[in-house]
Amino acid sequence: HLSFLPASMYTEIQRERPDDGNILTHPDYIDGNPDLIKPKKLLNPVKASKSHQELHRELLMNHRRGLGMESKPELQRVLEHRRRNQFIRQKKEEEEAKKLQSPFEKELLKRHQRLDQLEKEQEKQEDHAPEFIKVKENLRRTSTVTGDEKAA
């Protein structure tokens, strides 16, 4: 009487469903066979975490209250945050550069600023000079240049 029992449950299922050349296989648990273990859906570890659940609950509560509606979109907030951080970083770098300047470099910078200021004053004075003086100076320069070229 035991000779007609299949060796395993798997062989019995194979006999019941002949392969039709179908690529997709049908799950075994649809048959409703009580001996088979039905698969359970796997849990997402992120959604299962306590912090995620609390954050989700808080977002839902804020949404119901209407607190989550901000005037600026998220991208704009992120870009402003980056600009602010970049500006702060630039300020810090400038302050560090000023701190690292030696006394010699400071003196050179002061001297350079004084020379620039003197040049600007001379340009202003030349701008107020009459036109004939400017032309005369240009003529002197060209005549000395051409005289030097002839001598060479």
Side-chain angles (χ1 to χ4, degrees), residues 20-72:
D20 297 335
N22 215 357
I23 296 173
L24 297 175
T25 58
H26 299 286
D28 299 334
Y29 57 87
I30 292 180
D31 296 341
N33 192 339
D35 296 335
L36 294 177
I37 300 172
K38 294 182 182 178
K40 293 181 181 177
K41 190 174 181 181
L42 296 175
L43 293 176
N44 185 347
V46 174
K47 290 185 178 180
S49 71
K50 205 70 154 156
S51 60
H52 182 273
Q53 290 174 356
E54 290 172 0
L55 178 64
H56 186 66
R57 194 175 305 120
E58 185 177 344
L59 286 172
L60 284 174
M61 291 297 290
N62 287 341
H63 180 70
R64 287 179 192 144
R65 292 181 192 157
L67 299 176
M69 306 299 174
E70 293 186 14
S71 58
K72 295 182 183 178

Side-chain angles (χ1 to χ4, degrees), residues 12-134:
E12 183 180 311
I13 293 171
Q14 279 186 326
R15 278 192 215 133
E16 289 177 6
R17 290 193 205 125
D19 189 21
D20 297 335
N22 215 357
I23 296 173
L24 297 175
T25 58
H26 299 286
D28 299 334
Y29 57 87
I30 292 180
D31 296 341
N33 192 339
D35 296 335
L36 294 177
I37 300 172
K38 294 182 182 178
K40 293 181 181 177
K41 190 174 181 181
L42 296 175
L43 293 176
N44 185 347
V46 174
K47 290 185 178 180
S49 71
K50 205 70 154 156
S51 60
H52 182 273
Q53 290 174 356
E54 290 172 0
L55 178 64
H56 186 66
R57 194 175 305 120
E58 185 177 344
L59 286 172
L60 284 174
M61 291 297 290
N62 287 341
H63 180 70
R64 287 179 192 144
R65 292 181 192 157
L67 299 176
M69 306 299 174
E70 293 186 14
S71 58
K72 295 182 183 178
E74 184 179 0
L75 178 63
Q76 188 176 359
R77 280 185 279 137
V78 169
L79 291 175
E80 286 177 358
H81 184 69
R82 283 186 184 173
R83 275 191 226 116
R84 192 178 322 115
N85 286 345
Q86 189 176 17
F87 181 74
I88 291 170
R89 206 175 308 121
Q90 281 181 343
K91 286 286 187 182
K92 286 181 181 178
E93 289 174 0
E94 289 174 3
E95 290 175 7
E96 289 176 8
K98 287 180 182 179
K99 289 178 184 177
L100 295 176
Q101 282 183 345
S102 66
F104 177 69
E105 290 174 335
K106 290 179 183 177
E107 281 299 316
L108 282 177
L109 185 63
K110 286 180 186 177
R111 186 171 286 195
H112 182 69
Q113 288 173 349
R114 271 191 254 138
L115 287 174
D116 285 345
Q117 189 176 8
L118 288 174
E119 286 178 4
K120 287 179 183 177
E121 288 176 5
Q122 286 178 354
E123 288 176 4
K124 286 180 183 178
Q125 289 176 358
E126 290 177 2
D127 288 344
H128 295 298
E131 186 72 26
F132 70 92
I133 294 176
K134 292 178 189 176

